[in-house]
Amino acid sequence: MFRTAKLSQLDEFDEIIDVRTPAEFAEDHIPGAINCPVLSDAERITVGTLYIQQSPFEARKVGAALVAKNIAEHLQTRFCNHPKSWKPLIYCWRGGQRSGAMTIILSQVGWAAHKLEGGYKTYRHDVRIKLESLPDNLKLIVICGPTGSGKSRLLHALAESGQQVLDLEALAKHRGSVLGRWPEHAQPSQKGFEGQLLQVLQSFDLTRPVYVEAESNKIGRITLPNSLVTAMHSSDCLLLDTAIEVRVAGLLEDYQHYLDDPELLVTHLQALYRFHGAKLLEHWTALIHTGDFATLVGELLTLHYDPSYLRATSTHYPLIEQAQRISLVELSGECLKKVAASL
């Protein structure tokens, strides 16, 4: 038999090996793990089809040959230079046959290989449980303000000044609005986001404040944990007061990729059709085609984003009335650095 380890023992191993398929690994994995699949995505489908259409025996026979072949390849490549003292931890979906096969063979070689009890499923359960309780222990300070007021920029300045910062948009790879997609960056999976979020939350000193930007319960297609949203809604706030012309100038800087690709902006603006109708969308499209982006951004703020912001904050942030107000006359790095230092 092989040796097993619990999730609490992760730090005791030289390497964590995820033997699931590349697709499973890409969706989410234990932080720091490497992917050494014992079945490819296509091979797993083949074995699963045999299991259903013929018999479990036929599936295991074919699967065993594929697993043996793939483990042999890893031995000849990824693992060939590891010393006898190497101590790997191996996991699959539930800590079953895939991780068991790899653990047995590596143990036979002479390495102190262990299999993770419960596999990835145990890790996911642990993430969910901790995300339900950990936000309650945080001393959150929520940075509020309408779109373009400098919330994200202040958050970055606070991080640079040594403050604890929870940058949800960076974790979600999305700015949180209809036009908030990051150019050339896809959002992580929901599970991947939650794993990264937990890592960040666990890194905080609970005796010190944590600054976070006000968000809705969704950032793009990522849903925030209810416990975190509830904690944010009941926390103290900072309120940024920034002139609209400063906000427009800052947004034109932050969304330069849309200025470089106007047709992409036209396409993404169609999401606002249900709120504002065809006539206004046609007007905004004309502004884009004539290059009048400043007017476009100003109208988007006054007609769409600002009313939405006022509704959301008045509903969800009851302490906004007692918030410390910070007036920003510019959004330069030097200005925000001074504000961060004053906090």
Side-chain angles (χ1 to χ4, degrees):
M1 285 296 293
F2 40 72
R3 288 168 284 194
T4 62
K6 298 183 181 298
L7 195 62
S8 59
Q9 297 175 268
L10 292 182
D11 292 339
E12 299 176 13
F13 294 88
D14 298 320
E15 204 154 36
I16 303 171
I17 300 173
D18 185 324
V19 300
R20 298 175 304 153
T21 67
E24 291 174 292
F25 183 83
E27 181 184 17
D28 185 35
H29 53 269
I30 294 176
I34 64 169
N35 189 210
C36 298
V38 297
L39 289 174
S40 68
D41 296 310
E43 289 167 346
R44 189 180 183 217
I45 292 173
T46 297
V47 173
T49 302
L50 281 173
Y51 191 96
I52 295 171
Q53 295 184 353
Q54 294 193 28
S55 71
F57 175 73
E58 290 299 323
R60 292 192 184 100
K61 194 163 59 173
V62 171
L66 293 171
V67 167
K69 172 182 68 72
N70 291 327
I71 294 177
E73 182 178 350
H74 294 313
L75 284 167
Q76 294 165 344
T77 54
R78 302 288 291 273
F79 309 150
C80 66
N81 293 321
H82 288 315
K84 189 176 187 298
S85 60
W86 181 52
K87 186 179 178 181
L89 177 66
I90 298 145
Y91 73 91
C92 59
W93 174 249
R94 287 178 295 188
Q97 294 179 334
R98 287 185 287 176
S99 57
M102 175 79 86
T103 305
I104 287 172
I105 292 176
L106 296 191
S107 297
Q108 289 296 312
V109 171
W111 288 308
H114 288 61
K115 186 179 79 164
L116 178 63
E117 291 183 6
Y120 170 79
K121 191 174 181 180
T122 292
Y123 162 71
R124 273 296 300 165
H125 177 74
D126 184 70
V127 169
R128 290 194 298 269
I129 292 298
K130 287 178 178 175
L131 284 180
E132 286 177 5
S133 59
L134 192 50
D136 291 337
N137 301 320
L138 299 175
K139 296 181 178 181
L140 295 175
I141 298 178
V142 183
I143 303 174
C144 300
T147 300
S149 58
K151 299 186 295 294
S152 295
R153 295 189 185 207
L154 178 56
L155 205 64
H156 298 159
L158 285 164
E160 290 176 0
S161 71
Q163 297 288 352
Q164 296 190 130
V165 162
L166 175 57
D167 194 338
L168 294 170
E169 293 183 0
L171 290 174
K173 292 183 169 54
H174 197 284
R175 293 183 184 273
S177 66
V178 170
L179 302 175
R181 304 176 209 188
W182 280 20
E184 301 179 4
H185 285 280
Q187 288 196 266
S189 68
Q190 180 67 36
K191 292 177 180 178
F193 169 82
E194 290 173 1
Q196 293 177 57
L197 173 62
L198 178 60
Q199 269 197 301
V200 174
L201 296 183
Q202 289 177 321
S203 72
F204 290 140
D205 178 351
L206 298 181
T207 65
R208 297 173 56 210
V210 175
Y211 291 89
V212 62
E213 182 177 344
E215 303 285 357
S216 67
N217 66 333
K218 294 201 74 174
I219 303 178
R221 58 181 177 81
I222 295 296
T223 301
L224 300 181
N226 289 333
S227 55
L228 178 59
V229 174
T230 299
M232 290 168 63
H233 288 172
S234 61
S235 295
D236 291 331
C237 303
L238 293 174
L239 180 57
L240 301 187
D241 183 8
T242 310
I244 190 166
E245 61 270 16
V246 177
R247 294 163 57 199
V248 169
L251 289 168
L252 290 174
E253 291 178 3
D254 292 342
Y255 289 80
Q256 180 63 46
H257 55 287
Y258 278 127
L259 277 61
D260 296 335
D261 189 353
E263 291 308 315
L264 180 65
L265 178 55
V266 170
T267 299
H268 288 177
L269 272 181
Q270 301 312 305
L272 299 182
Y273 174 83
R274 63 193 179 101
F275 300 107
H276 302 289
K279 186 174 181 180
L280 192 51
L281 262 293
E282 290 173 3
H283 166 64
W284 285 339
T285 299
L287 291 177
I288 294 170
H289 288 156
T290 58
D292 193 355
F293 294 105
T295 299
L296 170 71
V297 172
E299 292 187 9
L300 285 172
L301 291 177
T302 56
L303 298 177
H304 180 75
Y305 287 106
D306 287 1
S308 176
Y309 162 77
L310 290 172
R311 287 192 301 270
T313 52
S314 61
T315 301
H316 299 301
Y317 290 94
L319 297 181
I320 192 72
E321 294 299 325
Q322 293 83 46
Q324 177 184 349
R325 300 180 74 93
I326 300 173
S327 296
L328 295 177
V329 296
E330 57 176 303
L331 297 177
S332 68
E334 192 61 31
C335 173
L336 293 168
K337 183 178 179 181
K338 291 178 181 177
V339 172
S342 71
L343 296 174

